Amino acid sequence: MYKSNTFAEVNFIESTRQLVKSITDTYQGTSTILDFKGNHVKLSINQAIPCSLIINEVITNILKHAFAGKTLGAISISLEQEGSLLSLGIRDNGTAYNGNLKELQTKSLGLEIIRELASQLKANYFYTTTYEFNCFILEFAKDEIVTAC
């Protein structure tokens, strides 16, 4: 984000691509296939920072826990915009968490961080698990970017 030409807005899919590559490069042991899908979305710096911190937390948790014992993992990140609503999805093919998520949320610093950052974005988030994938979804209204004259 610091490489942006302006601090008013960030090309979010590109900064996310760089962030996730940086995170996955630091973890060794599991080869990771990354897939990015998304509209060309620019976020205000006020939304880009908490959203990036959430992505950092989710991706780090995936790499630490979901791929344990696997030699190859896949992570897919999507960002879609419909009107002013943004939907960020992070999907992995790792092992699902089988415990009580509500109970985990009271004990997990990472989930507390996600909850606080989502609150800053006025966002809703949820996790789903299917037979093949674990999904984290974050939905929030995109701020209008105001540029100086």
Side-chain angles (χ1 to χ4, degrees):
M1 282 186 264
Y2 67 89
K3 292 180 181 178
S4 177
N5 293 333
T6 174
F7 288 114
E9 61 186 33
V10 174
N11 178 338
F12 195 67
I13 203 73
E14 186 54 40
S15 69
T16 298
R17 187 183 316 269
Q18 292 171 7
L19 171 66
V20 173
K21 174 149 180 25
S22 189
I23 296 167
T24 57
D25 285 350
T26 62
Y27 280 84
Q28 297 179 6
T30 301
S31 296
T32 308
I33 300 168
L34 298 173
D35 180 35
F36 293 89
K37 297 176 184 154
N39 301 339
H40 181 73
V41 173
K42 293 194 178 211
L43 288 182
S44 71
I45 198 75
N46 292 336
Q47 287 189 310
I49 290 172
C51 199
S52 294
L53 290 169
I54 289 170
I55 291 169
N56 181 71
E57 187 62 35
V58 172
I59 296 296
T60 300
N61 283 336
I62 290 169
L63 294 172
K64 282 170 127 176
H65 304 292
F67 297 144
K70 288 189 164 200
T71 56
L72 180 65
I75 299 172
S76 175
I77 299 172
S78 63
L79 181 64
E80 298 174 9
Q81 181 175 354
E82 188 170 317
S84 65
L85 183 65
L86 290 176
S87 179
L88 171 73
I90 302 174
R91 188 170 81 167
D92 71 82
N93 68 342
T95 305
Y97 176 71
N98 293 325
N100 180 341
L101 191 59
K102 289 211 183 270
E103 182 180 309
L104 179 65
Q105 285 180 318
T106 62
K107 298 177 183 176
S108 168
L109 177 61
L111 289 174
E112 186 176 329
I113 289 168
I114 289 171
R115 183 175 51 251
E116 289 301 318
L117 293 167
S119 176
Q120 288 178 23
L121 290 167
K122 298 178 185 104
N124 294 314
Y125 67 95
F126 55 94
Y127 299 91
T128 61
T129 300
T130 66
Y131 175 71
E132 297 177 1
F133 298 104
N134 306 300
C135 301
F136 172 83
I137 308 293
L138 179 74
E139 297 176 330
F140 59 99
K142 181 178 181 263
D143 284 346
E144 189 173 321
I145 298 172
V146 179
T147 55
C149 298

